[in-house]
Amino acid sequence: MKRRNFIKKLSLAAVPFTLGGIPIKLMAENSLTRMAGQSTNDRVLVILQLHGGNDGLNSIIPVEAYDEYYRWRANIAIPAKNSARKMILLDNTLPSDAQVGLHPDMLAMKDLYDRGRMTVVQGVSYKNNNGSHFRGRDISFMGGGFDDYFSSGWVGRYLQQEFAPKQYPDEFPNAEMEDPLAIEMGSDVSLIFHQQGNIPTSISINNPESFAQLVGELEGFTDQGIDPRGKPPVALDNSPYGKELNWILGLEDKSQDYAERLNEVYQNAPASSVTYPENYPFNAPRGSNAQQAYTAIAVNCPPVGWRWGRIGCKDKSVSGKTGWV
Amino acid sequence: MLRLLDGNLNVRGSVNENYARELMELFTIGRGLEGTLPPATVPGDYFNFTEQDVRAAAAVLSGWELDTTFTSFDQTVDLYTTGTQKLPRGKVRGSTTNASSHDNEVKQFSDRYGNATIQPNPLLLNGTNATEESALDEISQLIELIYAQPETARNFCRRIYRYFVYHEITQTIDDTIVAEMANTLVSNGYKLQPVLEDLFQSQHFYEAAAGVNDDNFGGIIKSPLDLMIGTLRLCNVQLPDPTGNATAYYEQTGELIRALSDMGMHFYEPFDVAGYDAYHQYPIYHRSWISTNYLVSRYEFIRNLVSDSQMGGMMKIDPVVFVQTNISNAIASNARSLIIELVKYFLPLADNLTFDTAADDNAGLTAERLNYFLTAFLKSPQIDADPEGAWTFRWNNPVDTEVVRRQLESLFNAIMQSPEYQLY
């Protein structure tokens, strides 16, 4: 499947901005942008999850229904005109009922859109929505319907299929795919990378250098080759103890398998040549109310989880070895 | 909840449903056992409650704001004295005799709640006006209504079961063990202690499947807090006196809280209103505590506590003192007995332990695993021709105390930086 088809098929919207104290710093220069620079092509799929409540209607503002929008939220509405901070009209070539305005701080996204690099998917929901934030999030991670209860996520299943018949984690890394199938950063473990009946297809990591160093020196990781790796006695394999122990062991194994590789890629990468903004909002006048307000948000918000999927593909024509999707 | 779930924005005529929704979905009756409910056919009907019930409950909860000066809270009253206002709470908007932002109409619930209604008690009204007392009374009616649903007790007991036994709950377990627990909870007026006593004395708590002893043991992944506090207490690590040496006390507890964050637990600040993922996130539950990153942080926490050479942490476990204090010389001087004794202290399954690979079929750990501990203890690096004999000699005499310390550190690190130590 071609990358564009993949993305189209999944209606994936790339959203290249973030709020919150830590992620701004992460974006400015972090290990993943650096490692991504090592890719021999642009086949990197990044999924950013903004955790928490974003005001969708003030990010993407309805144009044709602006009066109604304004009536419902006069106190917080983004001005349509006559203001230095009025909304940005996204695309006047769209049919009138599809016209939207962007929040005035979304200039960079307007630029992406103009270059054909961004799309907006609005009104995302599911049939028989039960009003639960948590169920809604689970469904978006699991990629199922309203009555599905999968124990896997849509990226996890995609990766399983993509690399079949090879099974993760037992048959990875291998000669065709020496990298982790996906990398996850942030403060939780997303269902999105889970596969049926085994550990998730992602490696969770913040700093490849310290990760490799710790995995290299901690006693808990130096036991490979001289012991049975804590395998439970066979009789206990299907007991709760056995199942949880095998789960932890699987993740311990993968830490060892990938720590050095990740660090190697990281060390070989030049520092990013892109200058990322350090402060949000990026184009608000210094000292403006808006800037202060967003600084307050940045301080009070929990870190936004963000994930970065490196998805290998088997198309060897691209780079002569494992490529990137 | 007035702040976290916008209760202070919930006023008559402009109802905010956030708290009412989470009160039902997260804190009481819940969404049922995942994957077992029939698919909803009517929009807004979630089986245990409906959108109508969320709105009705929101109306019951309307008309309150933050009491930032704690006027409703008498700090001189003992928290455990019954019949008094004990905990800080909000206050009604308007005044206590005219709760002007409270929705004073009759609240109609759906057939999921037996078409119940909640309305103000006429005796508590001030003329036709709602009062603080009448609004509080409506909240009591709401709580009574929710707790009267059998599913509420069932949902609480599922959470207790997951916390103490295992995260997988089949329909059969839900219909038997959990149902029994729920009966006990209801018949004891929602007191938890009788439920826990029953559970801890039940056969199920100790063994689930036939033929496998201690089957339900060791199936819980320790939270970062369990790992940390459990380790510090087991090894008798003392914190500085909070009154006599407050600076050191806060430095060390600050260090612990940072370590918890590294292991994925933001202490007292769970990411979600639903709490830590480990206690609600179907289908992984407590497995949320283990990622490649968090596991490294767990092992690092142990290394910093145990290894004398690590200057990272202020708190230390002294393995020599631990063995001297807890284990007799007869056992400690024999390397194999010492390992078995320490495994019993630290790891969840330690029955029938043996170093003989031909005889470990019924053991909690494989003989290979014990032999690995022996290797980590005395043979990495191996400095003696007869490591076990040399250990006995050094321990009994005692000589080469630095060697003894280093060898015990290796053993403690091997046992506690392990998948087994993450379980209990």
Side-chain angles (χ1 to χ4, degrees):
Chain A
M1 193 190 296
K2 290 271 191 290
R3 170 166 152 269
R4 282 190 196 286
N5 290 341
F6 174 83
I7 291 174
K8 240 186 212 162
K9 207 166 174 180
L10 293 162
S11 299
L12 202 73
V15 187
F17 82 99
T18 181
L19 287 175
I22 292 173
I24 292 292
K25 252 176 81 190
L26 278 176
M27 284 193 79
E29 166 58 32
N30 70 74
S31 49
L32 292 185
T33 54
R34 201 164 138 179
M35 284 194 284
Q38 279 296 84
S39 165
T40 50
N41 54 49
D42 67 347
R43 294 175 172 228
V44 180
L45 173 64
V46 180
I47 302 170
L48 284 183
Q49 181 206 340
L50 303 185
H51 191 122
N54 177 53
D55 185 346
L57 272 178
N58 269 15
S59 304
I60 308 290
I61 300 143
V63 168
E64 196 172 66
Y66 184 85
D67 290 348
E68 195 185 352
Y69 155 84
Y70 189 86
R71 195 163 61 245
W72 281 103
R73 46 168 62 202
N75 54 339
I76 56 168
I78 304 288
K81 50 194 167 193
N82 300 329
S83 166
R85 291 183 55 73
K86 61 176 193 277
M87 67 184 190
I88 306 162
L89 190 62
L90 182 65
D91 182 354
N92 61 15
T93 67
L94 295 174
S96 63
D97 64 346
Q99 296 262 334
V100 293
L102 298 181
H103 185 282
D105 285 329
M106 292 164 68
L107 271 178
M109 299 177 80
K110 162 73 171 151
D111 178 56
L112 284 175
Y113 179 86
D114 289 346
R115 288 188 285 134
R117 296 193 166 196
M118 186 183 86
T119 187
V120 176
V121 183
Q122 285 186 283
V124 177
S125 185
Y126 60 95
K127 201 173 133 191
N128 291 357
N129 189 314
N130 78 352
S132 160
H133 311 300
F134 300 95
R135 180 70 182 137
R137 198 175 67 201
D138 287 356
I139 285 174
S140 71
F141 288 166
M142 293 173 184
F146 69 92
D147 54 353
D148 287 324
Y149 288 83
F150 298 151
S151 57
S152 61
W154 60 266
V155 176
R157 289 196 301 278
Y158 170 78
L159 291 170
Q160 272 183 297
Q161 284 168 28
E162 179 65 17
F163 289 100
K166 285 228 169 16
Q167 302 266 330
Y168 188 86
D170 292 348
E171 296 173 276
F172 289 85
N174 54 51
E176 289 88 46
M177 186 57 185
E178 51 185 334
D179 298 318
L181 308 191
I183 294 176
E184 194 169 3
M185 289 186 83
S187 56
D188 64 353
V189 181
S190 174
L191 270 184
I192 207 167
F193 294 115
H194 276 66
Q195 51 173 344
Q196 185 77 38
N198 214 318
I199 60 170
T201 53
S202 61
I203 294 295
S204 161
I205 187 176
N206 285 327
N207 181 329
E209 202 169 2
S210 60
F211 186 74
Q213 192 193 335
L214 285 168
V215 169
E217 69 186 29
L218 284 169
E219 287 83 349
F221 290 101
T222 54
D223 50 8
Q224 197 162 37
I226 53 171
D227 82 314
R229 316 288 346 286
K231 280 277 175 208
V234 178
L236 295 174
D237 247 351
N238 289 317
S239 70
Y241 171 79
K243 284 192 265 189
E244 302 316 301
L245 194 60
N246 281 322
W247 182 272
I248 299 170
L249 265 175
L251 288 162
E252 195 195 81
D253 272 341
K254 289 299 117 179
S255 302
Q256 287 179 303
D257 289 343
Y258 289 121
E260 283 215 0
R261 169 69 185 165
L262 285 167
N263 193 31
E264 185 190 323
V265 172
Y266 175 70
Q267 298 296 344
N268 287 338
S272 169
S273 60
V274 180
T275 309
Y276 291 93
E278 296 279 351
N279 295 303
Y280 185 87
F282 306 135
N283 64 335
R286 191 158 289 279
S288 70
N289 286 340
Q291 191 174 40
Q292 283 160 8
Y294 282 115
T295 307
I297 290 172
V299 170
N300 291 322
C301 280
V304 178
W306 77 296
R307 319 183 190 295
W308 184 73
R310 289 189 349 161
I311 300 181
C313 81
K314 290 179 287 193
D315 180 2
K316 295 196 179 178
S317 64
V318 177
S319 60
K321 50 184 279 188
T322 305
W324 303 61
V325 171
Chain B
M1 293 305 150
L2 287 175
R3 193 190 291 277
L4 181 69
L5 287 174
D6 304 321
N8 62 336
L9 304 176
N10 179 13
V11 293
R12 180 169 59 109
S14 179
V15 167
N16 186 304
E17 299 167 358
N18 280 357
Y19 179 39
R21 185 181 306 282
E22 307 302 24
L23 175 65
M24 291 188 193
E25 180 189 330
L26 302 180
F27 306 145
T28 57
I29 196 166
R31 299 199 305 257
L33 182 62
E34 277 77 7
T36 64
L37 296 186
T41 48
V42 181
D45 180 1
Y46 318 140
F47 202 79
N48 291 333
F49 59 95
T50 71
E51 203 59 33
Q52 179 188 348
D53 300 319
V54 171
R55 281 195 301 272
V60 170
L61 294 164
S62 64
W64 293 80
E65 63 184 338
L66 296 169
D67 174 15
T68 49
T69 55
F70 298 103
T71 51
S72 66
F73 176 55
D74 180 357
Q75 59 177 318
T76 64
V77 173
D78 177 0
L79 282 181
Y80 299 99
T81 308
T82 51
T84 50
Q85 172 57 41
K86 296 182 245 6
L87 293 172
R89 61 163 167 82
K91 57 181 183 183
V92 285
R93 290 177 179 275
S95 69
T96 52
T97 53
N98 182 10
S100 52
S101 292
H102 176 72
D103 185 332
N104 214 25
E105 304 298 312
V106 175
K107 290 86 179 173
Q108 177 68 53
F109 287 77
S110 76
D111 58 353
R112 297 299 189 188
Y113 280 102
N115 297 310
T117 56
I118 288 179
Q119 52 195 309
N121 179 344
L123 298 174
L124 301 176
L125 294 177
N126 175 19
T128 56
N129 290 342
T131 62
E132 181 159 291
E133 228 183 320
S134 75
L136 271 180
D137 175 70
E138 283 189 47
I139 295 176
S140 294
Q141 292 182 50
L142 173 64
I143 299 303
E144 292 293 335
L145 175 64
I146 296 173
Y147 275 57
Q149 311 306 310
E151 183 60 23
T152 300
R154 190 72 85 93
N155 191 43
F156 289 145
C157 290
R158 283 186 200 116
R159 301 192 68 134
I160 295 171
Y161 185 92
R162 289 201 177 99
Y163 193 88
F164 287 108
V165 186
Y166 194 48
H167 70 281
E168 282 176 13
I169 299 181
T170 61
Q171 184 74 65
T172 309
I173 287 177
D174 200 54
D175 289 341
T176 53
I177 310 284
V178 177
E180 264 181 62
M181 292 167 68
N183 283 340
T184 306
L185 185 63
V186 172
S187 60
N188 284 281
Y190 277 86
K191 286 199 172 59
L192 293 174
Q193 189 172 332
V195 179
L196 296 177
E197 282 176 1
D198 276 7
L199 180 65
F200 297 156
Q201 293 177 66
S202 69
Q203 183 176 351
H204 182 78
F205 185 71
Y206 297 93
E207 50 180 44
V212 183
N213 285 335
D214 289 343
D215 195 56
N216 267 339
F217 256 51
I220 307 261
I221 296 174
K222 293 171 183 170
S223 77
L225 194 65
D226 293 331
L227 180 80
M228 175 178 286
I229 303 297
T231 304
L232 297 178
R233 288 184 69 107
L234 193 59
C235 298
N236 201 26
V237 175
Q238 300 292 326
L239 286 175
D241 175 19
T243 48
N245 193 355
T247 307
Y249 175 80
Y250 282 110
E251 269 173 20
Q252 296 203 12
T253 49
E255 188 185 321
L256 292 177
I257 286 170
R258 273 192 300 282
L260 285 178
S261 296
D262 291 344
M263 296 185 237
M265 176 183 250
H266 300 284
F267 190 52
Y268 268 109
E269 291 179 78
F271 208 53
D272 274 327
V273 61
Y276 297 110
D277 280 1
Y279 305 112
H280 69 85
Q281 181 62 63
Y282 173 88
I284 52 179
Y285 296 103
H286 61 184
R287 289 173 177 177
S288 315
W289 292 130
I290 302 292
S291 70
T292 51
N293 222 359
Y294 298 155
L295 192 61
V296 167
S297 296
R298 284 170 174 242
Y299 288 2
E300 188 187 13
F301 172 72
I302 296 296
R303 193 261 312 254
N304 290 345
L305 272 179
V306 169
S307 297
D308 202 35
S309 56
Q310 288 301 318
M311 302 310 289
M314 286 180 273
M315 278 154 282
K316 292 291 172 202
I317 292 172
D318 187 328
V320 178
V321 171
F322 182 92
V323 174
Q324 285 168 343
T325 312
N326 295 295
I327 297 173
S328 71
N329 272 337
I331 291 174
S333 59
N334 179 305
R336 292 176 189 234
S337 316
L338 175 60
I339 289 169
I340 288 176
E341 198 65 16
L342 286 173
V343 164
K344 286 183 192 164
Y345 261 94
F346 289 110
L347 304 185
L349 264 63
D351 288 339
N352 309 319
L353 295 183
T354 170
F355 285 77
D356 178 1
T357 48
D360 68 350
D361 286 355
N362 293 314
L365 289 178
T366 61
E368 286 167 291
R369 190 67 173 150
L370 289 187
N371 281 304
Y372 160 68
F373 290 145
L374 187 61
T375 302
F377 181 21
L378 300 178
K379 301 176 195 170
S380 51
Q382 182 166 345
I383 54 170
D384 303 299
D386 171 15
E388 293 181 53
W391 167 260
T392 304
F393 179 79
R394 289 193 182 102
W395 185 262
N396 282 336
N397 282 306
V399 290
D400 297 342
T401 51
E402 274 318 296
V403 174
V404 166
R405 171 173 303 279
R406 190 184 49 70
Q407 290 184 331
L408 279 179
E409 280 180 6
S410 296
L411 179 57
F412 273 55
N413 274 319
I415 292 176
M416 290 201 280
Q417 288 183 42
S418 66
E420 292 96 330
Y421 190 59
Q422 313 311 314
L423 296 165
Y424 74 159

